[in-house]
Amino acid sequence: MGRASKGARPFAVPGRVARALVGLVYPPSCAGCGAATADPGALCPSCWAGLRFIEEPCCARYGTPFAVDLGIGPLLSPRAISEPPVFARARAVALYDDTARGLVHRLKYQDRLDLAKAMAAMMAASGAALIAEADCVVPVPLHRWRLWRRRFNQAALLARPVARAGSLPFLPRALARVKATRSQVGLTRAGRAENLQGAFRVPAAHRAGIQGRRVLLVDDVTTTGATANAAARALLRGGAASVDLLTFALVADPIG
């Protein structure tokens, strides 16, 4: 008596009910500050207002916003004219201020991997024009020792849903970081570029995947552009037709 009949199946909680129960125990919170929100991964009104979204007009190459709309079509910033990047175009969701920095740091250093989906959705919206013209998506890779210590590559976590949003091939092994570089923090622009010389390579086994294709390179933050330039240079040498760059945040002030 009391024994389950032969063939009886254990009770399974429907997915929708399970998610509701989890929501009761762990209420949705703001991805930026932890305040209560209606949906998981959403931003509260305060954090949303704190993001300095990058909109047109912006530099056609670096994606740096202009403070004034001159109404004369695509423009290049002084830096794009004097120091043209290796990549063709770059776009980012927001300037790297307190709110954007908080999101990136929580993803990167506090293991908030759940933030990647929401951040990637914003990237897909901001980079819609780049995604529409891309043939594949490649994340900026970590060196194997740094990947071992961190256990995940934040660029890959962002790149996968971006690729899915555009129905594009996701190629996480098309680019390899073959040189264990020192941290870029505190280095000058020239120092960052020198530090990254020879850091990336397209493995021979994966060259066919990018041959003649327009690659969308994805990372979390663009600082000076040295990492993106080094990665783009390796992709072009590996056979890519062109490289565009999409990141969540951009370290730059609006151009007056």
Side-chain angles (χ1 to χ4, degrees):
M1 183 176 179
R3 295 177 61 185
S5 61
K6 187 176 180 180
R9 296 180 180 178
F11 176 73
V13 178
R16 185 170 57 184
V17 176
R19 287 191 293 271
L21 291 173
V22 170
L24 289 174
V25 179
Y26 303 104
S29 60
C30 173
C33 67
T37 58
D39 301 306
L43 292 175
C44 70
S46 177
C47 286
W48 183 266
L51 277 176
R52 296 172 63 193
F53 290 103
I54 297 174
E55 299 177 344
E56 298 288 349
C58 63
C59 172
R61 298 297 302 277
Y62 281 105
T64 310
F66 290 94
V68 179
D69 186 353
L70 300 178
I72 56 174
L75 295 172
L76 293 178
S77 63
R79 183 186 172 200
I81 296 171
S82 61
E83 301 175 26
V86 178
F87 50 86
R89 299 170 296 176
R91 294 294 182 270
V93 174
L95 293 176
Y96 193 59
D97 61 3
D98 293 342
T99 302
R101 184 184 299 110
L103 288 169
V104 170
H105 279 215
R106 285 181 178 87
L107 170 64
K108 198 170 180 177
Y109 303 119
Q110 298 178 17
D111 291 356
R112 287 291 308 274
L113 309 190
D114 56 301
L115 301 183
K117 184 177 180 180
M119 293 167 68
M122 287 188 272
M123 292 169 66
S126 295
L130 304 188
I131 293 172
E133 297 180 15
D135 295 317
C136 59
V137 176
V138 175
V140 172
L142 294 177
H143 187 269
R144 63 181 182 275
W145 292 119
R146 185 165 294 178
L147 181 61
W148 180 79
R149 288 195 299 270
R150 188 175 293 168
R151 307 187 313 281
F152 64 89
N153 177 7
Q154 72 281 354
L157 292 178
L158 296 169
R160 185 186 294 274
V162 166
R164 189 181 300 120
S167 300
L168 295 171
F170 171 59
L171 306 178
R173 295 183 179 85
L175 187 64
R177 197 159 191 154
V178 296
K179 175 183 173 184
T181 56
R182 57 172 292 196
S183 172
Q184 296 278 79
V185 178
L187 296 180
T188 63
R189 184 174 295 170
R192 286 171 178 260
E194 182 179 356
N195 186 41
L196 286 160
Q197 284 185 1
F200 298 101
R201 183 181 305 157
V202 175
H206 296 280
R207 288 197 172 190
I210 66 165
Q211 198 71 34
R213 307 181 86 178
R214 297 166 296 184
V215 175
L216 180 61
L217 184 67
V218 172
D219 205 357
D220 55 347
V221 180
T222 302
T223 309
T224 64
T227 299
N229 274 333
R233 186 175 291 109
L235 287 166
L236 292 170
R237 287 175 176 170
S242 64
V243 179
D244 287 330
L245 173 67
L246 179 61
T247 62
F248 179 75
L250 170 66
V251 178
D253 291 321
I255 300 170

